[in-house]
Amino acid sequence: MMTADADKDQEAGGFPVRAANYEMWSGSIDPDMVKAIMASRSLHVRRTTPMPDEKVDVAKFDIDLTGLASMRTQLAAACSSVAAKPKGPWPASPWPATPLPNVTAPPSTVPSP
């Protein structure tokens, strides 16, 4: 679960996925949570695990959000300048274009090695 300084009633959470030694979480954040995060100095992350003795183990840490609002402004400006450029139907590829094989051509009569 995550909460932000600006609005501790707003919470975001998700479900864990384990991959090897890592645990990853994914979930969605609604626009009100984004606003709370942008207005905060810290994001509080916590995990609660029920224990067999009916107690709860809580692990938590904070993420410092200093500078996030100014970086978001810079990112929004950079994205709007890119969004204004005309786009093709596909993202630009870093590799040179290679022609696709002609699949409608009749098969070659020469056996392949």
Side-chain angles (χ1 to χ4, degrees), residues 17-107:
V17 174
R18 290 194 180 271
N21 294 332
Y22 300 97
E23 181 174 288
M24 298 167 281
W25 289 76
S26 67
S28 60
I29 298 177
D30 65 26
D32 290 336
M33 182 65 178
V34 173
K35 289 175 190 172
I37 291 171
M38 296 310 298
S40 297
R41 291 177 300 188
S42 294
L43 184 63
H44 310 287
V45 181
R46 74 181 180 279
R47 180 185 74 186
T48 56
T49 306
M51 304 301 284
D53 58 0
E54 296 188 23
K55 292 184 181 179
V56 176
D57 178 43
V58 177
K60 60 184 177 178
F61 63 91
D62 294 339
I63 299 173
D64 184 1
L65 301 178
T66 304
L68 179 63
S70 65
M71 294 311 297
R72 181 175 188 236
T73 303
Q74 289 178 20
L75 180 62
C79 289
S80 65
S81 68
V82 171
K85 294 179 183 177
K87 298 180 230 174
W90 300 99
S93 171
W95 298 283
T98 56
L100 295 174
N102 183 352
V103 295
T104 60

